[in-house]
């Protein structure tokens, strides 16, 4: 699907996601753009599939901007959707995993978007991380006895976090960025869902403005305008503005 060629599909995608709360728009975009596919089982799978949606709609290259945390300089850089989608290994799609560390045995699954949404209700980043990990623990024991997830020590939770990141590397998308002014280096994180939604929203709103302009100028319906090729639409817009 290409938004420049399929205006009806773009507006349908935008309308479907717009009806959802902001936290659910990433899943709504996937549901509308990939009808029939099951819901992503991990955050990494979700990011990879959103990257594929971006590639189909807007191209594989992602133009990005971040600001230096030291001096505030704006730095432009880019990412590649194909590279991102390849970071979701098949092992991340296994339903359960096991970690043995410091006499603790933990059976766990990888977090999905519902886990992130629930944990995001926490007040601090530390509480968010702990809540997210604890939601994904299926069973845990220390020595010969079972223990509740909220009794896992920080060192074990840290090991669990690292294990999850290794199993699902596409869950956290970041880029090493160097400041051209002060040489500070930082990790610029990318949240795929808001990025793709923002681009869908901008493209859909521009298309709606085009439809409005041509409807006012020529009395055409939305269907009439969407039936035009992008080249013809641009030509009529230019004449209408003359």
């Amino acid at each position: 699907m290409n938004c420049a060629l399929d205006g009806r599909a773009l507006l349908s995608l935008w309308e479907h996601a717009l009806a959802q709360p902001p936290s659910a728009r990433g899943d709504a975009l996937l549901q509308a753009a990939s009808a029939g596919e099951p819901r992503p089982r991990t955050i990494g799978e979700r990011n990879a599939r959103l990257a594929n949606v971006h590639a189909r709609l807007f191209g594989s290259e992602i133009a990005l901007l971040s600001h230096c945390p030291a001096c505030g300089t704006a730095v432009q850089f880019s990412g590649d959707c194909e590279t991102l989608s390849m970071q979701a290994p098949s092992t991340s799609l296994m339903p359960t995993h096991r970690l043995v560390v410091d006499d603790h045995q933990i059976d766990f699954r990888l977090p999905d978007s519902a886990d992130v949404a629930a944990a995001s209700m926490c007040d601090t980043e530390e509480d968010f991380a702990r809540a997210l990990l604890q939601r994904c623990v299926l069973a845990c024991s220390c020595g010969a006895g079972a223990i509740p997830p909220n009794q896992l020590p920080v060192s074990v939770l840290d090991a669990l976090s690292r294990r999850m990141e290794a199993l699902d590397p596409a869950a956290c998308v970041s880029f090493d960025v160097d400041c051209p002014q002060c040489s500070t280096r930082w990790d610029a994180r990318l949240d795929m869902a808001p990025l793709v939604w923002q681009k869908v929203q901008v493209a859909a709103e521009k298309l709606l403005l085009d439809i409005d302009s041509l409807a006012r100028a020529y009395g055409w319906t939305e269907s009439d305008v969407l039936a035009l090729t992008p080249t013809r639409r641009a030509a009529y817009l230019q004449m209408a503005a003359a």
Side-chain angles (χ1 to χ4, degrees):
M1 179 171 56
N2 186 303
C3 66
L5 298 177
D6 195 343
R8 290 183 180 84
L10 171 67
L11 292 179
S12 177
L13 184 64
W14 166 77
E15 188 174 22
H16 179 79
L18 183 65
Q20 305 300 318
S23 62
R25 282 178 181 151
D27 290 330
L29 287 171
L30 287 180
Q31 182 183 35
S34 306
E37 291 189 18
R39 181 175 177 173
R41 287 166 285 182
T42 72
I43 300 300
E45 183 186 3
R46 178 174 179 256
N47 284 338
R49 285 170 56 179
L50 283 167
N52 289 334
V53 171
H54 185 288
R56 297 203 306 270
L57 288 172
F58 309 109
S60 183
E61 183 177 359
I62 310 174
L64 300 168
L65 176 71
S66 184
H67 290 84
C68 175
C71 69
T73 297
V75 181
Q76 294 180 328
F77 57 102
S78 64
D80 181 73
C81 291
E82 183 177 352
T83 301
L84 175 60
S85 64
M86 292 175 62
Q87 292 180 1
S90 59
T91 54
S92 68
L93 303 184
M94 295 172 58
T96 62
H97 306 270
R98 174 168 292 179
L99 173 68
V100 179
V101 59
D102 295 342
D103 204 32
H104 289 77
Q105 178 173 293
I106 306 169
D107 293 322
F108 65 96
R109 60 178 177 78
L110 294 173
D112 58 21
S113 57
D115 297 316
V116 173
S120 64
M121 302 298 292
C122 296
D123 294 329
T124 67
E125 188 172 335
E126 181 179 348
D127 289 341
F128 166 82
R130 177 179 286 272
L132 183 64
L133 292 174
Q134 290 177 356
R135 280 181 60 90
C136 297
V137 173
L138 303 175
C140 54
S141 61
C142 181
I147 61 172
N150 60 10
Q151 290 185 12
L152 289 171
V154 173
S155 60
V156 174
L157 288 175
D158 287 344
L160 177 59
S161 178
R162 292 192 296 270
R163 181 60 174 156
M164 286 181 172
E165 290 177 3
L167 287 169
D168 198 21
C172 183
V173 183
S174 64
F175 299 84
D176 292 329
V177 183
D178 293 310
C179 179
Q181 295 296 325
C182 68
S183 300
T184 296
R185 171 171 289 189
W186 73 97
D187 287 335
R189 293 198 173 187
L190 170 64
D191 193 336
M192 284 300 301
L195 171 74
V196 178
W197 163 246
Q198 183 183 38
K199 289 195 172 185
V200 167
Q201 185 176 33
V202 169
E205 289 177 351
K206 181 183 182 303
L207 180 56
L208 289 172
L209 288 172
D210 291 349
I211 293 170
D212 178 72
S213 296
L214 294 178
R216 291 175 185 273
Y218 300 106
W220 293 340
T221 66
E222 180 181 277
S223 296
D224 293 333
V225 176
L226 293 176
L228 297 170
T229 64
T231 301
R232 290 185 179 183
R233 188 186 307 151
Y236 280 114
L237 285 167
Q238 186 175 9
M239 288 186 290

